[in-house]
């Protein structure tokens, strides 16, 4: 109990005692008691009235009073001061947040737990044509209408950025959850970058296509010249033939990569029997290898919605690499297993291995650990880029583990849900 309140009770008791004494002497005990209590009630009513007035318009100065009411006013003023201070601090933080988000080049939108717009910055207003009066509180799906965005919101896989087309523009968008059920959406217009990418892709596709015809003509001429050469040395013809073969492989891989980048989803999706597909890959591996390695296949029954040819190209690239980078008689294992996470298809070899610093870059186009060795083995530096793109389009991820001198594991991890979760590819390797 506070000292002010204790004092108040003592005073009240003293007043009542005095009233009893005076009342007993004057033979008017009841009237005196009523008078004292009425005075006390009036005093409290007066203070209640003052406090109500002060609360309607709190100021620095409180009404003059005493006793417990003085304590009440003192504490109210203190609370009011503290409240004003924290409001000021919050306003400063909010101001600073708004200033910094207004300076952001990214369109930034704050969404509530119902995915309705709570706040947006000028970049968002410009990008999505938003207006302060009309668009606060409306669902974001009424502004960003493509179904791929609604799916993204529903699936809540916000660790991946989403890239998609809206009318004539390409947008890249991120969502980060914060606070209690709020979301920060940031978006950027990547139309120009996309157009440049498209131009680059078209150029490579056209150039590769155009180069195929002269290459076929050259190959034809070499064959004719070889037939005409008689007893002359065949080495120059072999060399030219090797190089034209290399060029043909390079053009084909470039065209495959361009095709994989071009379309968002594989054509001809169908349930693919992975066991049967790996049996085919295994037979092809045996025929390419010509008995130089010990190749094994271990597989569990598995099926995946996808494009059989693309998956076959991806797995075949991994097997070809294992054959290329494993010394003769070394062992290579092609496998497929399933668990709660999904389907895992991989190739493990006891080959030359790769040191750690290269692993993060292996899926970049033309990235090779040892360019000379790769060329010698008929490599183009595009194999793993093709694998990555083919997997992206099937919702899969490439996992690489390798130890220099001991061997490598290349594993394709496919989620169980299959096609429903295939993301729109956003980045190129
Ligand atoms: P390449 O056509 O040169 O094989 P890839 O894109 O398929 O190109 O592979 C990129 C590089 O990764 C290769 O040049 C090679 O250095 C390395 N690599 C790929 N697979 C293996 C493997 N199984 N063992 C060792 N190195 C590998």
């Amino acid at each position: 109990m506070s000292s002010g309140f204790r004092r108040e009770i003592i005073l009240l008791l003293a007043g009542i005692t005095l009233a009893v004494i005076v009342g007993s002497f004057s033979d008017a005990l009841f009237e005196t008691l009523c008078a004292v209590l009425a005075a006390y009630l009036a005093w409290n009513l007066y203070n209640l009235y003052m406090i109500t007035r002060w609360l309607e318009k709190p100021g620095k100065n409180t009404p003059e009073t005493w006793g417990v009411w003085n304590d009440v006013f003192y504490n109210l003023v203190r609370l009011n001061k503290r409240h004003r201070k924290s409001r000021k601090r919050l306003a400063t933080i909010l101001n600073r947040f708004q200033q910094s988000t207004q300076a952001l080049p990214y369109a930034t939108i704050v969404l509530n737990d119902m995915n309705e717009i709570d706040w947006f910055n000028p970049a968002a207003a410009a990008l999505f044509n938003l207006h302060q009066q009309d668009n606060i509180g409306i669902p974001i799906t009424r502004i960003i209408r493509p179904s791929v965005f609604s799916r993204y919101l529903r699936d809540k896989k916000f660790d991946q950025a989403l890239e998609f087309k809206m009318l004539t523009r390409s947008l890249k968008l991120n969502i980060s959850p914060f606070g209690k059920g709020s979301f920060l959406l940031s978006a950027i217009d990547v139309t120009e970058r996309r157009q440049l990418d498209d131009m680059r892709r078209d150029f490579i596709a056209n150039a590769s296509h155009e180069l195929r015809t002269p290459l076929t003509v050259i190959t034809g001429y070499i064959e004719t010249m070889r037939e005409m050469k008689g007893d002359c040395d065949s080495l120059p013809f072999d060399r030219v033939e090797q190089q034209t073969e290399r060029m043909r492989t390079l053009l084909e891989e470039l065209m495959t990569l361009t095709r994989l980048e071009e379309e968002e989803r594989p054509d001809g999706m169908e349930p693919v029997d992975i066991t049967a597909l790996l049996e085919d890959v295994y037979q092809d591996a045996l025929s390419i290898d010509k008995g130089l390695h010990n190749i094994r296949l271990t597989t569990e029954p598995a099926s995946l919605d996808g494009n059989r040819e693309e998956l076959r190209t991806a797995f075949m690239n991994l097997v070809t690499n294992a054959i290329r980078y494993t010394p003769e008689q070394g062992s290579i294992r092609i496998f497929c297993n399933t668990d709660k996470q999904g389907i895992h298809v991989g190739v493990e070899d006891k080959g030359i291995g790769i040191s750690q610093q290269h692993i993060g870059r292996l899926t970049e186009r033309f990235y090779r650990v040892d360019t000379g060795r790769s060329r010698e083995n008929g490599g183009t530096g595009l194999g793993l880029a093709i694998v990555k793109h083919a997997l992206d389009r099937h919702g899969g991820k490439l996992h690489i583990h390798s130890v220099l001198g001991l061997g490598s594991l290349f594993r394709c991890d496919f989620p169980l849900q299959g096609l429903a979760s295939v993301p729109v590819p956003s980045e190129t390797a």
Side-chain angles (χ1 to χ4, degrees):
M1 196 190 290
S2 74
S3 61
F5 194 66
R6 220 176 299 134
R7 211 170 44 233
E8 184 76 10
I9 288 185
I10 292 170
L11 269 172
L12 181 61
L13 288 177
I16 292 172
T17 316
L18 197 70
V20 170
I21 295 168
V22 173
S24 309
F25 279 110
S26 59
D27 263 354
L29 177 62
F30 179 71
E31 288 82 354
T32 324
L33 257 179
C34 282
V36 167
L37 289 177
Y40 186 68
L41 190 66
W43 166 245
N44 281 321
L45 277 176
Y46 166 75
N47 279 297
L48 264 178
Y49 167 73
M50 296 303 280
I51 213 169
T52 321
R53 266 188 51 184
W54 184 84
L55 281 174
E56 276 168 8
K57 221 175 167 191
K60 274 186 192 157
N61 299 323
T62 52
E64 286 292 326
T65 184
W66 56 268
V68 76
W69 287 106
N70 204 25
D71 293 357
V72 171
F73 277 117
Y74 172 76
N75 284 324
L76 273 177
V77 169
R78 226 175 41 161
L79 274 178
N80 185 38
K81 244 191 212 161
R82 209 184 297 161
H83 177 65
R84 271 218 310 260
K85 254 191 202 163
S86 54
R87 256 194 12 210
K88 227 177 177 177
R89 211 176 39 234
L90 271 178
T92 319
I93 294 173
L94 198 69
N95 234 345
R96 216 179 295 159
F97 167 76
Q98 289 195 345
Q99 275 170 6
S100 51
T101 43
Q102 280 181 2
L104 275 178
Y106 292 99
T108 309
I109 301 177
V110 174
L111 302 176
N112 63 19
D113 55 348
M114 311 279 288
N115 291 327
E116 293 162 347
I117 300 177
D118 263 358
W119 180 89
F120 54 84
N121 71 349
L127 187 61
F128 296 113
N129 197 20
L130 297 177
H131 301 283
Q132 202 70 35
Q133 310 85 350
D134 308 332
N135 297 125
I136 295 289
I138 71 159
I140 186 68
T141 41
R142 271 174 52 191
I143 302 293
I144 307 177
R145 287 174 180 268
S147 57
V148 63
F149 174 70
S150 311
R151 230 182 4 247
Y152 181 67
L153 269 185
R154 198 187 51 222
D155 292 349
K156 293 196 180 333
K157 288 198 175 148
F158 299 141
D159 50 334
Q160 294 169 353
L162 175 74
E163 199 164 321
F164 61 102
K165 274 213 151 160
M166 194 166 109
L167 301 174
T168 53
R169 284 177 307 183
S170 297
L171 302 181
K172 187 170 181 179
L173 175 153
N174 269 296
I175 291 187
S176 329
F178 75 96
K180 280 189 185 153
S182 301
F183 298 94
L184 190 74
L185 180 154
S186 56
I188 192 154
D189 188 341
V190 289
T191 313
E192 263 180 45
R193 209 195 67 195
R194 272 268 146 231
Q195 279 168 351
L196 280 175
D197 273 357
D198 289 349
M199 273 164 63
R200 176 187 55 81
R201 243 193 336 258
D202 287 351
F203 172 76
I204 295 175
N206 292 337
S208 311
H209 193 74
E210 289 302 319
L211 282 169
R212 261 187 2 178
T213 315
L215 205 60
T216 315
V217 175
I218 293 171
T219 314
Y221 271 112
I222 294 166
E223 266 168 30
T224 317
M225 284 158 76
R226 200 193 268 281
E227 280 161 18
M228 288 164 55
K229 76 175 175 33
D231 290 336
C232 300
D233 185 8
S234 70
L235 189 67
F237 293 104
D238 293 346
R239 288 265 161 82
V240 177
E241 216 165 52
Q242 260 173 21
Q243 293 305 317
T244 47
E245 181 55 25
R246 237 174 69 72
M247 251 172 100
R248 200 184 53 76
T249 315
L250 184 63
L251 291 181
E252 263 164 25
E253 293 205 343
L254 270 175
M255 288 195 329
T256 306
L257 193 56
T258 320
R259 189 174 45 75
L260 288 177
E261 283 181 334
E262 225 165 51
E263 302 145 10
E264 288 188 344
R265 273 184 175 208
D267 283 339
M269 289 302 231
E270 54 180 356
V272 180
D273 180 346
I274 298 293
T275 323
L277 175 59
L278 287 186
E279 182 59 45
D280 279 3
V281 169
Y282 174 62
Q283 291 305 331
D284 284 355
L286 292 181
S287 94
I288 297 170
D289 189 53
K290 299 191 178 75
L292 293 178
H293 297 90
N294 170 20
I295 306 180
R296 281 182 306 132
L297 170 69
T298 54
T299 168
E300 286 175 15
S303 162
L304 190 74
D305 277 349
N307 178 300
R308 194 174 195 280
E309 253 336 285
E310 286 183 16
L311 291 171
R312 185 195 167 92
T313 307
F315 302 153
M316 207 54 219
N317 271 324
L318 296 181
V319 174
T320 318
N321 278 350
I323 294 174
R324 268 186 202 143
Y325 302 107
T326 303
E328 285 182 19
Q329 305 312 321
S331 57
I332 295 170
R333 185 170 76 97
I334 305 167
F335 65 87
C336 165
N337 52 50
T338 54
D339 60 19
K340 270 193 285 188
Q341 270 78 46
I343 301 170
H344 312 283
V345 180
V347 180
E348 192 177 22
D349 65 58
K350 299 275 178 257
I352 59 170
I354 308 158
S355 68
Q356 282 305 306
Q357 84 251 30
H358 298 291
I359 292 197
R361 301 194 56 191
L362 291 180
T363 53
E364 289 175 19
R365 291 183 204 92
F366 297 113
Y367 189 85
R368 287 177 274 206
V369 176
D370 178 344
T371 311
R373 186 174 199 146
S374 157
R375 282 208 183 116
E376 237 171 67
N377 291 329
T380 57
L382 292 174
L384 292 180
I386 292 176
V387 174
K388 182 185 176 288
H389 274 85
L391 294 192
D392 273 353
R393 288 151 56 86
H394 288 81
K397 290 249 172 308
L398 180 64
H399 167 88
I400 307 174
H401 176 76
S402 189
V403 180
L404 193 61
L406 290 183
S408 313
L409 164 73
F410 288 82
R411 196 185 65 217
C412 313
D413 297 332
F414 299 96
L416 270 184
Q417 58 266 38
L419 261 188
S421 67
V422 173
V424 177
S426 55
E427 289 292 332
T428 50

